[in-house]
Amino acid sequence: MLVFYEERLAFLAVPKTGSTAYHSALKDRADLVVTGPPALKHAPVRRYDRFFQNIFRKMYDTDMEIMAVVREPIDWLGSWYKFRSRDERIGHPHSTRDMSFDDYVQAYMKSPRPEYADVGSQSQFFRTRSNGCGADHVFKYENQDKILDFLENRLDMKIALQRENVSPTRDLALSAKTEQKFRKRHALEFECHEKAQ
C-alpha cells in the first residue's frame, strides 16, 4: 500500500497485480509505505477504510481517493499457480509444483479450498463496509499504459518500472469444462475486471 497525502491518493495492492514493481518505483515518493505484513501490505478496501482512511478523516478531515489494479481472473489464478510453483516452495503446503493448472483451478472452486488454492478473491478485495466508499480508480492489469499515465499525471513525475517477483513459466492450459465452470461459479470476478478501466 502506498499513500500520497498531498495528492489525496491511496494505491492499494491487490495481490498478483504488479504491486511490488510500483512499490519499488514509488516508495521514496509516497508519504506512507506499507510493505508488510501481507495482511497490511495487501489490505483490501474494507480494511483500508476501517483503519487507514479513518486516520485521515479524524486527524485531517479529508479522504484519500483509492486506486487499485485488477487482473483478468484466469490470468490472476495463473499467476498464483506459477508463483507457488517456485523451487523454494517445494515441500510446502502451498506448493503447486506437482499439479496442472486445470487441477489448481478445480481446487480453487472447492469449499473449503485446499491451502495451496486459498488465495482469496479480487472481487472481495473491493468489497466495502456499509459506510465505506470503495475504490475510485480501478485499472485493468493489462492496461499498464493507463495506470502509468494516471500515476504520472497525479504525482507529476515520470515513473520507471522494473519487473519484479517474476514467476516460473508454466503451462496454463485449462479444459473447456473447467473454464466454463469457473466462469459460471465466479462470475463476480469477471464482472469486477470488466468494470475496470
Side-chain angles (χ1 to χ4, degrees):
M1 177 194 312
L2 300 166
V3 177
F4 305 92
Y5 179 74
E6 290 298 325
E7 292 79 10
R8 302 295 192 267
L9 182 68
F11 186 169
L12 302 193
V14 179
K16 309 313 294 166
T17 61
S19 57
T20 302
Y22 282 99
H23 271 236
S24 295
L26 297 172
K27 65 185 177 189
D28 294 336
R29 173 69 171 73
D31 297 298
L32 176 64
V33 179
V34 181
T35 58
L40 289 180
K41 175 186 178 181
H42 297 293
V45 169
R46 287 171 67 90
R47 191 173 304 135
Y48 170 82
D49 191 54
R50 182 174 178 198
F51 297 105
F52 295 95
Q53 191 77 288
N54 268 336
I55 292 171
F56 295 110
R57 285 183 188 131
K58 290 179 179 176
M59 293 184 68
Y60 304 106
D61 193 29
T62 191
D63 280 344
M64 299 292 120
E65 289 181 22
I66 296 172
M67 77 159 286
V69 178
V70 66
R71 197 164 180 165
E72 192 280 331
I74 295 171
D75 187 45
W76 184 73
L77 278 183
S79 184
W80 274 113
Y81 168 72
K82 292 188 294 184
F83 180 72
R84 290 189 162 183
S85 72
R86 294 168 298 150
D87 289 344
E88 56 267 29
R89 298 312 261 176
I90 294 173
H92 190 281
H94 289 169
S95 179
T96 58
R97 175 61 68 94
D98 297 323
M99 70 181 62
S100 70
F101 182 53
D102 199 277
D103 290 340
Y104 182 72
V105 174
Q106 288 284 350
Y108 183 82
M109 291 188 283
K110 289 182 179 174
S111 183
R113 291 180 182 131
E115 194 172 341
Y116 60 83
D118 193 11
V119 295
S121 154
Q122 291 183 106
S123 66
Q124 287 299 304
F125 185 95
F126 291 100
R127 202 166 57 107
T128 61
R129 296 189 308 145
S130 58
N131 63 343
C133 294
D136 302 282
H137 311 280
V138 182
F139 296 92
K140 292 178 179 172
Y141 172 83
E142 60 269 28
N143 291 342
Q144 291 296 319
D145 288 348
K146 282 188 178 181
I147 301 166
L148 278 171
D149 285 348
F150 174 80
L151 286 169
E152 288 180 344
N153 287 330
R154 189 69 176 255
L155 303 178
D156 193 26
M157 66 179 287
K158 290 303 284 178
I159 300 170
L161 290 179
Q162 302 294 321
R163 286 195 71 194
E164 297 196 33
N165 250 356
V166 180
S167 298
T169 302
R170 296 287 307 270
D171 178 14
L172 298 181
L174 203 55
S175 71
K177 182 178 178 182
T178 298
E179 181 173 347
Q180 183 179 21
K181 181 178 174 185
F182 177 71
R183 285 181 178 278
K184 184 176 180 181
R185 185 167 294 179
H186 294 284
L188 275 178
E189 302 304 307
F190 291 92
E191 190 179 312
C192 178
H193 177 259
E194 197 57 41
K195 288 179 179 175
Q197 301 180 51

